[in-house]
Amino acid sequence: MIQAKQELLQALAAALAELAPGAAPVAAFESPKQAAHGDLAITAAMGLARTLKKNPREVGQQLVELLGRQPAFERWVQALEIAGPGFINLRLKPAARQAVVAEVLQGGEAFGRKPAGAGKLMVEFVSANPTGPLHVGHGRQAALGDSICRLFESQGWDVTREFYYNDAGVQIQNLATSTRCRLKGLKPGDDGWPESAYNGDYIADIAADFAAKKTVHADDRAFTASGDADDVDGIRQFAVAYLRHEQDLDLQAFGVRFDNYYLESSLYADGRVEDTVRRLVDAGKTFEDGGALWLRSTDYGDDKDRVMRKSDGSYTYFVPDVAYHIAKFERGFTKVINVQGSDHHGTIARVRAGLQAAGVGIPAGYPDYVLHKMVTVMKGGQEVKISKRAGSYVTLRDLIDWTSRDAVRYFLISRKADTEFVFDIDLALKANDENPVFYVQYAHARICSVLAQYQGETDFAGADLSRLTAPSEYALMLQLAAYPGMLERAAAEHAPHDVAFYLRDLAAAFHSYYAAERFLVDDPALARARMALLAATAQVLRNALGMLGVSAPTSMSRAAAEEVPA
C-alpha cells in the first residue's frame, strides 16, 4: 500500500496541476474520520473553490473526472465518491491494501525508515546537575529525549545525544558542604547542619566512600578520594564524580546512552562566555545601567531586556547558555532540540535573542525546545512524594525497581510532553488490557505463539495475499500502512507520544482480528496468507516499540494472558 499511496499522490498532483495550473495545492491525503467513509480522503476541492470561483462540489466533480483518467487511480482505486461540501473519499482495491504485507516483510527492521542524509541533529536532554540521583522528572526527560533521537534517526538524521551539566556554582558547593558535614559526623536535624544542605541518605554514602579513599569512575571522569575532611576541593570533585557515576547507572538501567558530556565550566575555561559577551557588546546589542550589563533582547521579541552581567561581575545563567548554543552551531548541528522541564520556559526568548544578536549566522528559532511537565507518582491510591535514598523525591531507579524499565519508558512517553502526568504504579503492574504497555506487548507475544504453532512454509514471500479479504484483515492492514507516515509526523512534531497512540491502535486492530478469525485453518493458502499478515504485524509492533526503547517479548505468562480479552 505504501507504493500504491505514493503513485496515487503523484497522480493527484498531476490532476491538481491540470485543474488549477499555477495554483494547485500540495497533493495530500487525509484519513476519513469514519472508516465507513473510505480509506483515504482528499480535501483540495474546498481549498480551490475560491481560486476557481466555483462551488466546492463542482470543483470536486471536476477533480474526480481528472483522477479517473490517471493510470494509478485505475490500478489502485475501487471507488471515488464526493461527500459533504466537497470531500472526495477513496476506496482502495483489495490489492492496494494487501500489498503492505509484502512491503513490511521485505523492509523488516527498516520498514518505515528513510535513508541517511537529512542532516546533523543534536538532542540535549536530562542534563541533570550532579547533586543527587535522577528523579522521575529526569526520567520523563530521558524517555522523551531518547525517543525523539530514535524518531529522527528513522528519518535519516545523524543524531548526537548530549548531556550538559553545571559542574560548578552554588548547588555544587552545597553538595560539597553537605558531604563535608557528614564526614564530620553531622546529620540532618543536628545543630550545625546547614539549612541548604542535601538530606538524602546518598550524602552519607558519598562521605563514607570518601573517608575510605575510594576511586569512582563516571563516563566522563574518575577521581580518587583523599579521605581528608578538610580537603574541600577534593570533596567537591569526589562528590561530583560519585553522583555522575550514580546517574550513569540510572541511565544504564533505563537503557539510555549519551554520545557526549558537556561541562558548563568548560565554557568559561575555553573563553567562550567572554567571547560571546564581547560579540554582543561589539554588535551594539548591549547597554549598561545600574552597574550591570544588559542585552537588548526586546529587539528580538522578548518581553523585556535582560541582565547579562550583574553589578557584582557575575553572569546570569542565560549567558553561558547562549555561548553553549553558539558552540553547538559551530560544531555543525544545523538542528538542535533541547528537552527540558517547563520551568525553563522563560529561557527560550532570551537565549534565542542572544543567538540572533551575536550575529554568527544562526537562523531564527534556533534551537527547538520540547518542554515537559513534572510527574506525580501514585501507589495504592496515594501520592508517593519521597524516597528514603534521595530524601525529598522519588528517583528514577525507584520507579524502575517498583515496576520495570519497559513500563516506565512506555508510560512516561504515553502523553504529550506539555501535559501533567500521573504515573500509577498499580496500573503499571497489572497484567491485563488496562495496562497499555502490557496490552501492546501481549499482542506481539500472541502473534509469536501462533507463528510457533504453524507447520507450513515459513517463507511468506510467495503467500497469496489476495486471500486476505476479511474486514478485520483490512482494518489491520490499514494500520500497518499508516506506520511510515506516523513516524514522519511524530518526528516533525517532536511528538513521540504519537508512537504510543499508534501502538495502542495497532494492538487493538490485532486483538480484534484474533477474536474474529481463525489462523491455523485447513486451507493451506489462506493459512499462509494469514501467517504473513501476522508476521508483518509483529514486525511493525517490534519496530514501533523500538522507537520507545521498549522490548517486544515473544512470550508472556499464561495467567497474564488469560486477563487479556480475545
Side-chain angles (χ1 to χ4, degrees), residues 1 8 39-40 76-78 90-94 96-97 478:
M1 184 175 174
L8 291 172
D39 302 313
L40 300 170
W76 298 116
V77 176
Q78 184 169 288
L90 284 71
R91 298 182 188 278
L92 299 174
K93 291 180 179 179
R97 304 172 185 176
L478 283 174

Side-chain angles (χ1 to χ4, degrees), residues 1 5 28-35 37-43 87-89 478-479 482 489:
M1 184 175 174
K5 188 174 180 180
F29 293 124
E30 297 182 9
S31 297
K33 293 183 179 180
Q34 297 182 29
H37 292 167
D39 302 313
L40 300 170
I42 302 170
T43 60
F87 292 102
I88 300 174
N89 293 327
L478 283 174
Q479 283 294 333
R489 289 190 301 275

Side-chain angles (χ1 to χ4, degrees), residues 101-409:
V101 176
E103 291 169 336
V104 172
L105 295 177
Q106 183 177 3
E109 292 181 0
F111 178 71
R113 304 180 74 93
K114 293 183 178 179
K120 286 185 65 176
L121 165 69
M122 176 195 285
V123 182
E124 181 212 327
F125 60 109
V126 181
S127 295
N129 290 338
T131 55
L134 298 181
H135 55 62
V136 292
H138 295 133
R140 189 175 196 185
Q141 202 174 125
L144 285 165
D146 191 52
S147 295
I148 288 171
C149 289
R150 291 167 186 258
L151 280 171
F152 274 89
E153 286 169 339
S154 80
Q155 300 305 297
W157 286 80
D158 178 8
V159 178
T160 293
R161 296 159 166 83
E162 186 150 291
F163 189 120
Y164 171 85
Y165 63 89
N166 178 351
D167 57 336
V170 174
Q171 291 183 0
I172 299 299
Q173 187 56 47
N174 287 341
L175 171 66
T177 300
S178 305
T179 305
R180 188 166 183 244
C181 286
R182 284 283 195 173
L183 281 164
K184 291 182 175 293
L186 295 175
K187 61 182 183 298
D190 288 351
D191 290 338
W193 182 260
E195 185 177 342
S196 61
Y198 295 105
N199 298 326
D201 287 350
Y202 68 94
I203 298 295
D205 296 337
I206 297 172
D209 283 1
F210 183 87
K213 301 182 180 181
K214 291 187 177 181
T215 298
V216 289
H217 296 270
D219 281 354
D220 66 319
R221 62 180 62 204
F223 192 82
T224 300
S226 67
D228 181 359
D230 292 322
D231 179 8
V232 177
D233 186 63
I235 292 171
R236 179 185 62 79
Q237 293 191 58
F238 182 82
V240 168
Y242 184 101
L243 287 169
R244 281 292 308 111
H245 172 70
E246 288 292 304
Q247 291 178 353
D248 290 341
L249 294 178
D250 291 341
L251 293 167
Q252 289 168 17
F254 205 42
V256 173
R257 64 173 179 83
F258 285 90
D259 301 302
N260 193 45
Y261 291 85
Y262 202 102
L263 281 63
E264 181 182 11
S265 61
S266 71
L267 295 168
Y268 293 92
D270 296 343
R272 284 191 170 274
V273 172
E274 290 293 340
D275 182 62
T276 297
V277 173
R278 186 167 52 252
R279 286 177 186 270
L280 295 171
V281 171
D282 291 347
K285 301 300 182 182
T286 64
F287 64 94
E288 293 201 28
D289 184 45
L293 182 67
W294 297 69
L295 175 67
R296 299 183 189 277
S297 55
T298 51
D299 291 352
Y300 300 93
D302 200 359
D303 59 345
K304 62 181 180 180
D305 294 328
R306 304 291 177 174
V307 174
M308 293 174 54
R309 186 175 60 222
K310 294 180 284 188
S311 57
D312 64 4
S314 64
Y315 292 112
T316 54
Y317 67 89
F318 88 92
V319 177
D321 283 351
V322 174
Y324 177 39
H325 284 87
I326 291 175
K328 288 182 180 181
F329 187 73
E330 291 176 346
R331 287 155 63 193
F333 294 105
T334 56
K335 183 176 178 65
V336 167
I337 301 172
N338 294 342
V339 184
Q340 297 175 326
S342 57
D343 57 330
H344 287 78
H345 185 273
T347 304
I348 298 175
R350 64 197 73 173
V351 169
R352 286 177 173 170
L355 293 174
Q356 292 304 296
V360 294
I362 295 178
Y366 184 100
D368 291 319
Y369 288 85
V370 173
L371 301 182
H372 69 90
K373 292 190 176 178
M374 299 304 286
V375 180
T376 300
V377 180
M378 302 291 290
K379 187 177 184 180
Q382 300 293 320
E383 182 178 351
V384 183
K385 294 185 178 181
I386 63 172
S387 160
K388 179 181 178 183
R389 182 164 171 272
S392 60
Y393 54 84
V394 177
T395 70
L396 173 60
R397 194 92 61 88
D398 288 335
L399 216 52
I400 296 171
D401 290 344
W402 293 337
T403 56
S404 67
R405 175 204 290 185
D406 283 347
V408 177
R409 289 194 68 135

Side-chain angles (χ1 to χ4, degrees), residues 470-497:
S472 56
E473 289 169 335
Y474 281 158
L476 184 54
M477 289 185 286
L478 283 174
Q479 283 294 333
L480 297 179
Y483 179 67
M486 180 279 298
L487 276 188
E488 183 176 8
R489 289 190 301 275
E493 298 172 8
H494 308 161
H497 63 275

